[in-house]
Short mmCIF file of all heavy atoms in Angstrom, two decimals:
data_model
loop_
_atom_site.label_atom_id
_atom_site.label_comp_id
_atom_site.label_asym_id
_atom_site.label_seq_id
_atom_site.Cartn_x
_atom_site.Cartn_y
_atom_site.Cartn_z
N GLN A 1 -111.05 40.65 16.87
CA GLN A 1 -111.29 39.21 16.81
C GLN A 1 -112.45 38.89 15.89
O GLN A 1 -112.47 37.84 15.24
CB GLN A 1 -111.56 38.69 18.23
CG GLN A 1 -110.32 38.65 19.11
CD GLN A 1 -110.61 38.06 20.48
OE1 GLN A 1 -111.70 37.57 20.72
NE2 GLN A 1 -109.64 38.11 21.36
N GLU A 2 -113.45 39.77 15.84
CA GLU A 2 -114.57 39.54 14.93
C GLU A 2 -114.11 39.59 13.47
O GLU A 2 -114.69 38.95 12.61
CB GLU A 2 -115.66 40.59 15.18
CG GLU A 2 -116.33 40.45 16.54
CD GLU A 2 -117.33 41.56 16.78
OE1 GLU A 2 -117.44 42.46 15.89
OE2 GLU A 2 -118.01 41.55 17.83
N ASN A 3 -113.06 40.35 13.20
CA ASN A 3 -112.52 40.46 11.84
C ASN A 3 -111.42 39.43 11.56
O ASN A 3 -110.73 39.52 10.55
CB ASN A 3 -111.96 41.87 11.60
CG ASN A 3 -113.04 42.93 11.70
OD1 ASN A 3 -114.20 42.67 11.38
ND2 ASN A 3 -112.66 44.12 12.17
N GLY A 4 -111.24 38.51 12.49
CA GLY A 4 -110.24 37.47 12.28
C GLY A 4 -108.86 37.83 12.78
O GLY A 4 -107.92 37.05 12.62
N GLU A 5 -108.68 39.00 13.36
CA GLU A 5 -107.39 39.41 13.90
C GLU A 5 -107.35 39.08 15.39
O GLU A 5 -108.37 39.00 16.06
CB GLU A 5 -107.17 40.91 13.69
CG GLU A 5 -107.19 41.32 12.23
CD GLU A 5 -107.05 42.83 12.07
OE1 GLU A 5 -106.87 43.50 13.11
OE2 GLU A 5 -107.16 43.31 10.95
N ARG A 6 -106.16 38.90 15.89
CA ARG A 6 -106.01 38.50 17.29
C ARG A 6 -104.89 39.30 17.94
O ARG A 6 -103.75 39.25 17.52
CB ARG A 6 -105.71 36.99 17.38
CG ARG A 6 -105.59 36.48 18.82
CD ARG A 6 -105.43 34.97 18.80
NE ARG A 6 -105.20 34.43 20.13
CZ ARG A 6 -106.14 34.18 21.01
NH1 ARG A 6 -107.40 34.43 20.69
NH2 ARG A 6 -105.85 33.68 22.20
N PHE A 7 -105.25 40.06 18.96
CA PHE A 7 -104.26 40.82 19.74
C PHE A 7 -104.66 40.71 21.20
O PHE A 7 -105.73 41.15 21.60
CB PHE A 7 -104.25 42.30 19.33
CG PHE A 7 -103.38 43.15 20.21
CD1 PHE A 7 -102.00 43.08 20.12
CD2 PHE A 7 -103.95 44.00 21.14
CE1 PHE A 7 -101.20 43.86 20.94
CE2 PHE A 7 -103.17 44.78 21.96
CZ PHE A 7 -101.79 44.71 21.86
N LEU A 8 -103.83 40.07 22.01
CA LEU A 8 -104.16 39.83 23.41
C LEU A 8 -103.26 40.65 24.32
O LEU A 8 -102.06 40.76 24.07
CB LEU A 8 -104.00 38.34 23.75
CG LEU A 8 -104.94 37.38 23.01
CD1 LEU A 8 -104.63 35.95 23.40
CD2 LEU A 8 -106.39 37.70 23.28
N LEU A 9 -103.85 41.21 25.34
CA LEU A 9 -103.08 41.91 26.36
C LEU A 9 -102.36 40.89 27.24
O LEU A 9 -102.76 39.73 27.31
CB LEU A 9 -104.00 42.78 27.21
CG LEU A 9 -104.65 43.96 26.48
CD1 LEU A 9 -105.66 44.64 27.40
CD2 LEU A 9 -103.59 44.95 26.04
N PRO A 10 -101.31 41.30 27.95
CA PRO A 10 -100.60 40.35 28.81
C PRO A 10 -101.50 39.66 29.82
O PRO A 10 -101.27 38.51 30.17
CB PRO A 10 -99.56 41.23 29.51
CG PRO A 10 -99.31 42.36 28.57
CD PRO A 10 -100.63 42.60 27.90
N PHE A 11 -102.58 40.34 30.28
CA PHE A 11 -103.44 39.74 31.28
C PHE A 11 -104.12 38.47 30.76
O PHE A 11 -104.47 37.60 31.54
CB PHE A 11 -104.50 40.75 31.73
CG PHE A 11 -103.91 41.98 32.37
CD1 PHE A 11 -103.77 43.15 31.65
CD2 PHE A 11 -103.47 41.93 33.68
CE1 PHE A 11 -103.22 44.27 32.24
CE2 PHE A 11 -102.92 43.05 34.28
CZ PHE A 11 -102.79 44.22 33.56
N GLU A 12 -104.29 38.37 29.44
CA GLU A 12 -104.95 37.20 28.88
C GLU A 12 -104.09 35.94 29.03
O GLU A 12 -104.59 34.83 28.94
CB GLU A 12 -105.24 37.43 27.39
CG GLU A 12 -106.03 38.70 27.10
CD GLU A 12 -107.46 38.61 27.56
OE1 GLU A 12 -107.93 37.48 27.80
OE2 GLU A 12 -108.10 39.67 27.69
N TYR A 13 -102.79 36.13 29.24
CA TYR A 13 -101.89 34.98 29.32
C TYR A 13 -101.61 34.55 30.76
O TYR A 13 -100.93 33.55 30.98
CB TYR A 13 -100.54 35.32 28.68
CG TYR A 13 -100.57 35.44 27.18
CD1 TYR A 13 -100.79 36.66 26.57
CD2 TYR A 13 -100.38 34.32 26.38
CE1 TYR A 13 -100.81 36.78 25.19
CE2 TYR A 13 -100.39 34.42 25.00
CZ TYR A 13 -100.61 35.65 24.41
OH TYR A 13 -100.63 35.76 23.06
N ILE A 14 -102.10 35.30 31.75
CA ILE A 14 -101.69 35.04 33.13
C ILE A 14 -102.11 33.64 33.58
O ILE A 14 -101.30 32.87 34.11
CB ILE A 14 -102.28 36.11 34.06
CG1 ILE A 14 -101.56 37.44 33.81
CG2 ILE A 14 -102.10 35.70 35.53
CD1 ILE A 14 -102.10 38.59 34.63
N ILE A 15 -103.37 33.27 33.35
CA ILE A 15 -103.84 31.95 33.76
C ILE A 15 -103.08 30.86 33.03
O ILE A 15 -102.70 29.84 33.60
CB ILE A 15 -105.35 31.82 33.52
CG1 ILE A 15 -106.11 32.91 34.29
CG2 ILE A 15 -105.84 30.44 33.94
CD1 ILE A 15 -105.89 32.87 35.78
N GLU A 16 -102.83 31.11 31.73
CA GLU A 16 -102.09 30.13 30.94
C GLU A 16 -100.68 29.92 31.49
O GLU A 16 -100.19 28.80 31.58
CB GLU A 16 -102.03 30.58 29.48
CG GLU A 16 -101.28 29.62 28.57
CD GLU A 16 -101.20 30.13 27.15
OE1 GLU A 16 -101.88 31.13 26.83
OE2 GLU A 16 -100.44 29.53 26.36
N ASN A 17 -100.02 31.04 31.89
CA ASN A 17 -98.67 30.93 32.45
C ASN A 17 -98.66 30.13 33.74
O ASN A 17 -97.77 29.31 33.98
CB ASN A 17 -98.10 32.33 32.73
CG ASN A 17 -97.58 32.98 31.47
OD1 ASN A 17 -97.29 32.30 30.51
ND2 ASN A 17 -97.48 34.29 31.48
N LEU A 18 -99.65 30.37 34.59
CA LEU A 18 -99.68 29.70 35.89
C LEU A 18 -99.94 28.20 35.75
O LEU A 18 -99.53 27.42 36.60
CB LEU A 18 -100.75 30.33 36.77
CG LEU A 18 -100.47 31.78 37.21
CD1 LEU A 18 -101.64 32.31 38.03
CD2 LEU A 18 -99.18 31.89 38.02
N THR A 19 -100.62 27.80 34.67
CA THR A 19 -100.95 26.39 34.50
C THR A 19 -99.94 25.63 33.65
O THR A 19 -99.83 24.41 33.77
CB THR A 19 -102.35 26.25 33.86
OG1 THR A 19 -102.38 26.99 32.63
CG2 THR A 19 -103.42 26.80 34.80
N THR A 20 -99.22 26.32 32.78
CA THR A 20 -98.30 25.63 31.86
C THR A 20 -96.83 25.82 32.20
O THR A 20 -95.98 25.26 31.53
CB THR A 20 -98.54 26.11 30.42
OG1 THR A 20 -98.29 27.53 30.34
CG2 THR A 20 -99.96 25.82 29.98
N SER A 21 -96.51 26.63 33.20
CA SER A 21 -95.12 26.84 33.59
C SER A 21 -95.00 26.72 35.11
O SER A 21 -96.01 26.83 35.82
CB SER A 21 -94.64 28.23 33.14
OG SER A 21 -95.28 29.24 33.90
N PRO A 22 -93.78 26.48 35.62
CA PRO A 22 -93.61 26.33 37.08
C PRO A 22 -93.57 27.66 37.83
O PRO A 22 -92.85 27.80 38.82
CB PRO A 22 -92.27 25.60 37.18
CG PRO A 22 -91.51 25.98 35.98
CD PRO A 22 -92.52 26.21 34.89
N MET A 23 -94.35 28.66 37.39
CA MET A 23 -94.35 29.95 38.04
C MET A 23 -94.82 29.89 39.48
O MET A 23 -94.34 30.63 40.34
CB MET A 23 -95.21 30.95 37.25
CG MET A 23 -94.58 31.46 35.97
SD MET A 23 -93.08 32.44 36.25
CE MET A 23 -93.75 33.90 37.02
N LEU A 24 -95.78 29.01 39.76
CA LEU A 24 -96.27 28.89 41.14
C LEU A 24 -95.15 28.43 42.06
O LEU A 24 -95.04 28.90 43.20
CB LEU A 24 -97.45 27.92 41.19
CG LEU A 24 -98.77 28.41 40.60
CD1 LEU A 24 -99.83 27.32 40.67
CD2 LEU A 24 -99.25 29.66 41.33
N ASN A 25 -94.32 27.52 41.59
CA ASN A 25 -93.18 27.07 42.39
C ASN A 25 -92.17 28.20 42.59
O ASN A 25 -91.60 28.36 43.67
CB ASN A 25 -92.51 25.87 41.73
CG ASN A 25 -91.37 25.30 42.55
OD1 ASN A 25 -91.56 24.92 43.71
ND2 ASN A 25 -90.18 25.27 41.99
N TYR A 26 -91.95 29.01 41.55
CA TYR A 26 -91.05 30.15 41.66
C TYR A 26 -91.58 31.17 42.66
O TYR A 26 -90.82 31.75 43.45
CB TYR A 26 -90.86 30.83 40.29
CG TYR A 26 -90.30 29.92 39.21
CD1 TYR A 26 -90.46 30.23 37.86
CD2 TYR A 26 -89.60 28.76 39.54
CE1 TYR A 26 -89.95 29.40 36.86
CE2 TYR A 26 -89.09 27.94 38.55
CZ TYR A 26 -89.26 28.26 37.22
OH TYR A 26 -88.75 27.45 36.24
N PHE A 27 -92.90 31.37 42.63
CA PHE A 27 -93.52 32.27 43.60
C PHE A 27 -93.33 31.76 45.01
O PHE A 27 -93.05 32.52 45.94
CB PHE A 27 -95.01 32.44 43.29
CG PHE A 27 -95.31 33.67 42.50
CD1 PHE A 27 -95.33 33.64 41.11
CD2 PHE A 27 -95.56 34.88 43.12
CE1 PHE A 27 -95.61 34.77 40.37
CE2 PHE A 27 -95.83 36.02 42.40
CZ PHE A 27 -95.86 35.97 41.02
N LYS A 28 -93.52 30.46 45.20
CA LYS A 28 -93.33 29.87 46.52
C LYS A 28 -91.91 30.10 47.03
O LYS A 28 -91.71 30.50 48.19
CB LYS A 28 -93.64 28.38 46.47
CG LYS A 28 -93.52 27.66 47.81
CD LYS A 28 -93.40 26.16 47.63
CE LYS A 28 -92.00 25.80 47.11
NZ LYS A 28 -91.76 24.34 47.10
N ASN A 29 -90.92 29.88 46.16
CA ASN A 29 -89.53 30.09 46.57
C ASN A 29 -89.27 31.55 46.92
O ASN A 29 -88.59 31.85 47.92
CB ASN A 29 -88.59 29.65 45.44
CG ASN A 29 -88.62 28.16 45.21
OD1 ASN A 29 -88.93 27.39 46.11
ND2 ASN A 29 -88.33 27.73 44.00
N SER A 30 -89.78 32.48 46.11
CA SER A 30 -89.57 33.89 46.38
C SER A 30 -90.23 34.32 47.69
O SER A 30 -89.66 35.11 48.45
CB SER A 30 -90.11 34.74 45.22
OG SER A 30 -89.33 34.59 44.07
N ILE A 31 -91.42 33.80 47.96
CA ILE A 31 -92.11 34.15 49.20
C ILE A 31 -91.35 33.61 50.41
O ILE A 31 -91.16 34.31 51.42
CB ILE A 31 -93.55 33.61 49.18
CG1 ILE A 31 -94.38 34.38 48.14
CG2 ILE A 31 -94.20 33.72 50.55
CD1 ILE A 31 -95.76 33.79 47.89
N ILE A 32 -90.89 32.36 50.32
CA ILE A 32 -90.13 31.77 51.43
C ILE A 32 -88.85 32.56 51.70
O ILE A 32 -88.51 32.87 52.85
CB ILE A 32 -89.79 30.29 51.12
CG1 ILE A 32 -91.07 29.45 51.14
CG2 ILE A 32 -88.78 29.75 52.13
CD1 ILE A 32 -90.86 28.01 50.71
N ILE A 33 -88.14 32.93 50.64
CA ILE A 33 -86.89 33.69 50.80
C ILE A 33 -87.16 35.08 51.35
O ILE A 33 -86.46 35.55 52.25
CB ILE A 33 -86.14 33.75 49.46
CG1 ILE A 33 -85.61 32.37 49.07
CG2 ILE A 33 -84.99 34.75 49.53
CD1 ILE A 33 -85.05 32.27 47.68
N THR A 34 -88.19 35.75 50.84
CA THR A 34 -88.50 37.11 51.31
C THR A 34 -88.89 37.10 52.78
O THR A 34 -88.39 37.92 53.57
CB THR A 34 -89.64 37.71 50.47
OG1 THR A 34 -89.26 37.73 49.09
CG2 THR A 34 -89.95 39.12 50.93
N VAL A 35 -89.77 36.19 53.17
CA VAL A 35 -90.17 36.09 54.59
C VAL A 35 -88.98 35.67 55.45
O VAL A 35 -88.78 36.19 56.55
CB VAL A 35 -91.34 35.10 54.74
CG1 VAL A 35 -91.66 34.87 56.22
CG2 VAL A 35 -92.57 35.62 54.02
N GLY A 36 -88.17 34.74 54.94
CA GLY A 36 -87.00 34.28 55.68
C GLY A 36 -85.95 35.36 55.89
O GLY A 36 -85.19 35.32 56.85
N VAL A 37 -85.92 36.33 54.99
CA VAL A 37 -85.00 37.47 55.15
C VAL A 37 -85.59 38.51 56.10
O VAL A 37 -84.91 39.01 57.01
CB VAL A 37 -84.67 38.11 53.79
CG1 VAL A 37 -83.95 39.44 53.98
CG2 VAL A 37 -83.81 37.18 52.95
N LEU A 38 -86.86 38.85 55.92
CA LEU A 38 -87.45 39.97 56.64
C LEU A 38 -87.61 39.71 58.13
O LEU A 38 -87.30 40.59 58.95
CB LEU A 38 -88.81 40.33 56.04
CG LEU A 38 -88.79 41.00 54.66
CD1 LEU A 38 -90.20 41.35 54.22
CD2 LEU A 38 -87.93 42.26 54.70
N ILE A 39 -88.09 38.53 58.52
CA ILE A 39 -88.36 38.29 59.94
C ILE A 39 -87.08 38.38 60.79
O ILE A 39 -87.03 39.15 61.76
CB ILE A 39 -89.07 36.94 60.13
CG1 ILE A 39 -90.48 37.01 59.53
CG2 ILE A 39 -89.14 36.57 61.60
CD1 ILE A 39 -91.26 35.71 59.61
N PRO A 40 -86.00 37.66 60.47
CA PRO A 40 -84.78 37.82 61.27
C PRO A 40 -84.18 39.22 61.15
O PRO A 40 -83.67 39.77 62.14
CB PRO A 40 -83.82 36.77 60.70
CG PRO A 40 -84.66 35.85 59.92
CD PRO A 40 -85.83 36.63 59.43
N LEU A 41 -84.24 39.80 59.96
CA LEU A 41 -83.64 41.12 59.75
C LEU A 41 -84.33 42.18 60.60
O LEU A 41 -83.67 42.98 61.28
CB LEU A 41 -83.72 41.50 58.28
CG LEU A 41 -83.22 42.90 57.91
CD1 LEU A 41 -81.73 43.02 58.18
CD2 LEU A 41 -83.53 43.21 56.45
N LEU A 42 -85.66 42.20 60.60
CA LEU A 42 -86.40 43.18 61.38
C LEU A 42 -86.16 43.00 62.87
O LEU A 42 -85.94 43.98 63.60
CB LEU A 42 -87.90 43.08 61.08
CG LEU A 42 -88.34 43.45 59.67
CD1 LEU A 42 -89.84 43.20 59.50
CD2 LEU A 42 -88.01 44.89 59.34
N LEU A 43 -86.17 41.76 63.32
CA LEU A 43 -86.00 41.50 64.75
C LEU A 43 -84.59 41.86 65.23
O LEU A 43 -84.41 42.58 66.22
CB LEU A 43 -86.31 40.03 65.04
CG LEU A 43 -86.35 39.62 66.51
CD1 LEU A 43 -87.44 40.38 67.25
CD2 LEU A 43 -86.57 38.11 66.64
N ILE A 44 -83.58 41.38 64.51
CA ILE A 44 -82.20 41.62 64.93
C ILE A 44 -81.84 43.09 64.84
O ILE A 44 -81.25 43.67 65.77
CB ILE A 44 -81.23 40.76 64.08
CG1 ILE A 44 -81.47 39.28 64.34
CG2 ILE A 44 -79.78 41.13 64.39
CD1 ILE A 44 -80.72 38.37 63.39
N SER A 45 -82.15 43.71 63.71
CA SER A 45 -81.75 45.11 63.51
C SER A 45 -82.48 46.05 64.46
O SER A 45 -81.89 47.01 64.97
CB SER A 45 -81.99 45.53 62.06
OG SER A 45 -83.35 45.37 61.70
N PHE A 46 -83.76 45.78 64.74
CA PHE A 46 -84.51 46.67 65.63
C PHE A 46 -83.99 46.55 67.06
O PHE A 46 -83.81 47.55 67.76
CB PHE A 46 -86.00 46.33 65.57
CG PHE A 46 -86.86 47.37 66.22
CD1 PHE A 46 -86.40 48.66 66.44
CD2 PHE A 46 -88.15 47.06 66.61
CE1 PHE A 46 -87.20 49.62 67.03
CE2 PHE A 46 -88.96 48.01 67.21
CZ PHE A 46 -88.48 49.29 67.42
#
């Protein structure tokens, strides 16, 4: 960067992704579905 070149690791984009895309909503849906599957599945199958 001091030489005018720019190379960013994926971690540099994480905050940008969370603020400029609906990833938080996608995470919410995935968490709801995962919990909704696991709780009945564990209880019924056990």
Side-chain angles (χ1 to χ4, degrees):
Q1 288 183 7
E2 293 176 357
N3 297 328
E5 300 177 4
R6 182 174 175 82
F7 173 74
L8 296 178
L9 293 173
F11 298 100
E12 306 290 342
Y13 289 92
I14 289 177
I15 302 301
E16 180 182 350
N17 280 340
L18 293 177
T19 56
T20 60
S21 70
M23 285 295 291
L24 288 177
N25 183 57
Y26 301 159
F27 263 91
K28 181 198 74 172
N29 292 334
S30 290
I31 291 171
I32 291 174
I33 291 171
T34 302
V35 174
V37 169
L38 288 183
I39 292 178
L41 176 64
L42 294 176
L43 187 61
I44 295 171
S45 58
F46 192 21

